[in-house]
Amino acid sequence: KNEVEQSPQNLTAQEGEFITINCSYSVGISALHWLQQHPGGGIVSLFMLSSGKKKHGRLIATINIQEKHSSLHITASHPRDSAVYICAAGGADGLTFGKGTHLIIQP
Amino acid sequence: DSGVTQTPKHLITATGQRVTLRCSPRSGDLSVYWYQQSLDQGLQFLIQYYNGEERAKGNILERFSAQQFPDLHSELNLSSLELGDSALYFCASSVGGGAGYTEAFFGQGTRLTVV
């Protein structure tokens, strides 16, 4: 069974700061997913990646398969980025989720 | 809007009761996944259906069951409800059958409160 660890659990930063959220998993995977959950509860899929790096606007996700580690970066952070960010390891038995990182961006 | 519709949005019921949660996937998606999110356990995978057949099973209790109908909508049935079943229940859908390596689109969730 895959174990997925995220850090930090909570992060408060000022608007404009560069944000990094880390995710480690214990067993080889098919893909690593990054999800965003807003206070209202809805979940949005941000990235799915199995190698290298993906970029979407101010969000960048990277993965190192050998080290079993992924990072989510937010550049020029904004209060609207405040949310819970969840990584999930995808394998043959579906998704195993981390506990999430609660991010607050203060103006 | 992800295109995945879940009803109802909120549900309050008493212990021992039975409820049904409904999910309509995005048009064209064959897979439906059910997830439970509680405060202490986080998000957990419950079960997946692909084109009407059960594809994968996660941490789903025996009191819970699901099915996917010919029109591809799915229902999650929760019976003999306990206080600990209070949680957010999410449905997601994808085109392909592999939850691990297919991008899934999530519904807004059903918040179940058992009193």
Side-chain angles (χ1 to χ4, degrees):
Chain A
K1 183 174 159 34
N2 220 334
E3 302 290 333
V4 179
E5 299 285 338
Q6 272 186 250
S7 63
Q9 281 188 317
N10 297 285
L11 179 57
T12 300
Q14 295 298 121
E15 183 173 357
E17 285 188 38
F18 181 81
I19 303 298
T20 295
I21 299 170
N22 296 300
C23 175
S24 298
Y25 51 93
S26 59
V27 178
I29 59 171
S30 305
L32 193 288
H33 300 248
W34 282 101
L35 310 172
Q36 180 192 55
Q37 185 171 26
H38 276 285
I43 294 176
V44 174
S45 175
L46 297 175
F47 295 103
M48 182 185 71
L49 63 165
S50 53
S51 66
K53 176 177 170 177
K54 285 191 175 180
K55 185 174 190 289
H56 185 215
R58 294 179 296 105
L59 272 56
I60 303 165
T62 64
I63 189 168
N64 184 318
I65 298 293
Q66 286 72 32
E67 295 187 5
K68 297 187 178 60
H69 180 269
S70 176
S71 293
L72 176 68
H73 305 286
I74 305 175
T75 62
S77 59
H78 190 276
R80 66 173 173 266
D81 298 325
S82 298
V84 177
Y85 293 83
I86 302 168
C87 73
D93 54 352
L95 295 179
T96 303
F97 298 89
K99 293 216 181 290
T101 294
H102 188 193
L103 175 65
I104 297 173
I105 304 296
Q106 294 178 335
Chain B
D1 182 7
S2 66
V4 179
T5 304
Q6 285 189 249
T7 56
K9 286 191 169 41
H10 302 276
L11 197 47
I12 301 175
T13 190
T15 53
Q17 294 298 305
R18 173 190 166 95
V19 297
T20 298
L21 312 184
R22 183 187 167 101
C23 172
S24 294
R26 288 190 324 156
S27 176
D29 284 358
L30 298 178
S31 272
V32 169
Y33 313 85
W34 287 99
Y35 298 96
Q36 180 193 56
Q37 186 179 37
S38 59
L39 279 174
D40 54 345
Q41 295 287 333
L43 267 168
Q44 290 194 90
F45 166 62
L46 295 179
I47 196 164
Q48 176 198 358
Y49 278 81
Y50 178 76
N51 204 21
E53 301 288 328
E54 183 183 303
R55 172 64 68 97
K57 217 169 194 177
N59 300 319
I60 188 166
L61 299 172
E62 284 191 13
R63 300 184 285 109
F64 296 0
S65 65
Q67 54 185 327
Q68 186 178 29
F69 295 86
D71 66 353
L72 300 178
H73 91 270
S74 178
E75 292 181 355
L76 178 67
N77 300 295
L78 315 176
S79 61
S80 302
L81 284 166
E82 302 174 359
L83 296 177
D85 298 325
S86 296
L88 260 174
Y89 291 84
F90 286 100
C91 163
S93 73
S94 68
V95 172
Y101 50 86
T102 306
E103 185 179 12
F105 297 84
F106 285 77
Q108 289 297 303
T110 293
R111 185 173 295 278
L112 173 66
T113 302
V114 182
V115 297

